[in-house]
Amino acid sequence: MKISAAVAGASGYAGGELLRLLAMHPGVAVKTVTGSSSVGRSLGELQPHVHALRDLRIEETSPDTLAGHDVVFLALPHGSSGAIAAELGEESLVVDAGADFRLESAGAWEEFYGGSHAGTWPYGLPELPLAEGGRQRSRLKGARRIAVPGCYPTSSLLALAPGFRAGLLEPADVVIVSASGTSGAGKAMKPHLMASEAMGSMSPYGVGGVHRHTPEIEQGLSWAAGEGVSVSFTPTLAPMPRGILTTATARVRPGTDAAAVREAWASAWEGEEFVRLLPEGQWPATQSVLGSNYVHTQAALDPRTGRVIASVALDNLAKGTAGAAVQSMNIALGLEETLGLTGGGLAP
């Protein structure tokens, strides 16, 4: 029998991407989709690209509606998952695509998000190398609750974690700049996301260390380094529907050469299906990973300044959100980790 799944927040971008991937997953049957203002409408009306599930009707998002499924995906606004998850039993694997359970520090949550901290769940970035050895994958096996990483943190952690785990990078003076497509801001109408405002233009936002993903990036890099890492993070809005290109730089420790950098990144991603280190001299491009769960990365040493420059391209809705959720589900339920996720990117 197939795994029964429910998706809350089915009308949004993250919910739509989850449904697209789950509809192609050979081991999952989506039984329930929920929303708020869209209750009663057909999924085909709201997510017309998910052909296989077009006849499902949007139901109210409530614990009663979501209960009884093998897996429940929560693709809800930040701060909305905690109360619902608290009412769901351990018989359901709950995978939260929001931020409610990502942070270990209640203080960081209150500072960057406001309100009460709902708690901390295992972090759904399987490939993340840890300072004590192993990877985050081991913490997801058999889990009943999983927090999917943010899209910016996913790209930032995959960019620099190899260098921190190998002990090559200094934990201070880390600078990360990311460009994201407009879908990263969600589906709600906002003037600055209108085509006439966003197309043909780029702009930074969340400048000055105030973006909500900053503590999550520092948390994950600290797990890889085995010590506290401080980060200056600046996101930018790019004129494209989806995709993230992150460029990260950090000071190297004395004695680190280009060969050591290449070895650290190659060793970190050897054997990983979804994170690919490109050949030397080839740099990531968002188009190469569009619509896929794959990540392209590259790193180089600038010997003049003593800094590593690492770049990552991923699809913010796939590996950055929904793909990570499905990948984590596969691990937690003992399925093949790559099941339903090995489709390539779209080009041109």
Side-chain angles (χ1 to χ4, degrees):
M1 294 180 61
K2 289 189 174 183
I3 296 160
S4 65
V7 175
S11 63
Y13 286 138
E17 187 74 355
L18 267 166
L19 292 165
R20 181 181 76 88
L21 296 177
L22 292 172
M24 298 185 292
H25 194 295
V28 174
V30 177
K31 299 293 187 182
T32 301
V33 291
T34 77
S36 54
S37 61
S38 58
V39 170
R41 298 170 69 180
S42 72
L43 190 65
E45 179 184 357
L46 298 166
Q47 305 283 12
H49 63 296
V50 189
H51 305 286
L53 304 176
R54 63 186 179 276
D55 293 331
L56 290 176
R57 291 278 170 181
I58 304 292
E59 300 181 47
E60 180 185 2
T61 300
S62 69
D64 289 341
T65 304
L66 298 171
H69 297 83
D70 297 317
V71 58
V72 176
F73 294 95
L74 303 177
L76 302 172
H78 302 322
S80 300
S81 298
I84 291 176
E87 298 296 321
L88 296 175
E90 289 294 313
E91 69 275 6
S92 296
L93 165 63
V94 183
V95 183
D96 183 26
D100 291 28
F101 299 97
R102 295 171 185 164
L103 297 181
E104 292 183 325
S105 168
W109 171 268
E110 292 166 4
E111 178 183 354
F112 283 85
Y113 290 92
S116 299
H117 184 226
T120 306
W121 290 355
Y123 195 66
L125 186 55
E127 300 91 349
L128 181 64
L130 305 173
E132 65 269 23
R135 298 176 188 271
Q136 185 66 18
R137 175 179 290 112
S138 64
R139 300 177 178 176
L140 300 176
K141 295 177 180 178
R144 303 308 294 166
R145 300 290 188 268
I146 293 173
V148 177
C151 51
Y152 283 135
T154 297
S155 64
S156 300
L157 299 182
L158 296 178
L160 289 178
F164 280 112
R165 208 270 291 269
L168 301 182
L169 305 181
E170 299 282 1
D173 193 21
V174 177
V175 179
I176 301 174
V177 178
S178 295
S180 174
T182 55
S183 61
K187 208 170 187 178
M189 290 295 295
K190 302 179 182 73
H192 73 286
L193 299 179
M194 295 171 58
S196 57
E197 301 287 339
M199 295 302 104
S201 177
M202 286 191 68
S203 59
Y205 64 100
V207 180
V210 300
H211 192 275
R212 289 175 169 180
H213 285 169
T214 301
E216 186 182 342
I217 296 170
E218 292 182 337
Q219 173 181 272
L221 291 179
S222 297
W223 290 341
E227 61 181 325
V229 176
S230 61
V231 169
S232 173
F233 172 64
T234 303
T236 64
L237 186 67
M240 57 187 183
R242 56 200 290 168
I244 284 180
L245 183 68
T246 287
T247 302
T249 175
R251 287 188 287 122
V252 298
R253 296 187 187 277
T256 301
D257 59 16
V261 169
R262 185 68 186 180
E263 171 58 27
W265 265 256
S267 175
W269 305 134
E270 183 179 6
E272 290 291 347
E273 172 64 25
F274 294 121
V275 184
R276 301 294 179 91
L277 178 64
L278 298 177
E280 290 189 72
Q282 181 180 352
W283 289 86
T286 57
Q287 182 175 333
S288 301
V289 294
L290 191 67
S292 80
N293 198 54
Y294 287 87
V295 177
H296 286 179
T297 186
Q298 183 62 278
L301 176 67
D302 179 351
R304 187 179 64 83
T305 62
R307 301 186 73 92
V308 156
I309 298 91
S311 185
V312 158
L314 56 77
D315 188 313
N316 60 297
L317 294 178
K319 179 59 171 173
T321 306
V326 174
Q327 185 180 348
S328 296
M329 175 202 72
N330 286 342
I331 295 170
L333 296 180
L335 304 176
E336 178 64 36
E337 182 175 336
T338 61
L339 199 62
L341 292 170
T342 55
L346 306 174

